[in-house]
């Protein structure tokens, strides 16, 4: 994470994704470069999505044909095939969609 912070350009932002182990720390120098570079550090939780704003927009984009979700799906399986699909994850490249009855 420190290396990622150090690679961010002036006035950039480092987005920290995921949950670190309890007690994890990030040590950075707060000398003149810290002030000059103005790098922001922001935790990202669940993609930082605003569901009330974003989901209707995604639906609109998909309905208009401007959000190509179907092209991202490589296969569709039934719920009872989940265990087999999980076992194949190392061999299957792509995204699997689980359909519910």
């Amino acid at each position: 994470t420190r290396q990622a912070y150090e690679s961010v350009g002036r006035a950039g932002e480092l987005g920290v994704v995921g949950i670190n182990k309890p007690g994890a720390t990030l040590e950075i120098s707060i000398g003149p470069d810290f002030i000059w570079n103005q790098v922001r550090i922001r935790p990202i939780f669940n993609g930082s999505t605003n569901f009330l704003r974003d989901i209707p927009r995604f639906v609109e984009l998909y309905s208009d044909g401007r959000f190509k979700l179907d092209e991202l799906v490589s296969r569709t399986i039934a719920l009872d095939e989940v265990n087999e699909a999980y076992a194949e994850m190392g061999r299957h490249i792509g995204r699997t969609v689980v359909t519910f009855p």
Side-chain angles (χ1 to χ4, degrees):
T1 303
R2 185 175 51 77
Q3 288 175 330
Y5 170 81
E6 291 169 352
S7 71
V8 175
R10 187 171 190 283
E13 179 176 272
L14 169 63
V16 180
V17 179
I19 298 175
N20 294 296
K21 66 181 181 180
T25 60
L26 170 61
E27 293 184 32
I28 56 174
S29 171
I30 57 170
D33 286 342
F34 175 76
I35 302 299
W36 172 252
N37 289 332
Q38 301 178 40
V39 173
R40 293 176 306 279
I41 300 173
R42 183 173 72 96
I44 298 174
F45 175 73
N46 204 18
S48 297
T49 300
N50 177 331
F51 290 99
L52 294 176
R53 177 197 67 214
D54 297 338
I55 298 303
R57 179 72 176 137
F58 297 154
V59 169
E60 176 186 340
L61 290 170
Y62 178 77
S63 297
D64 291 347
R66 295 184 293 152
F67 196 11
K68 308 289 186 187
L69 291 178
D70 296 330
E71 295 173 10
L72 299 175
V73 177
S74 57
R75 69 178 173 178
T76 302
I77 63 170
L79 183 58
D80 62 358
E81 298 174 281
V82 166
N83 291 335
E84 293 84 10
Y86 186 79
E88 294 175 359
M89 278 189 350
R91 295 185 308 274
H92 177 77
I93 298 173
R95 289 185 173 84
T96 301
V97 172
V98 179
T99 59
F100 294 83

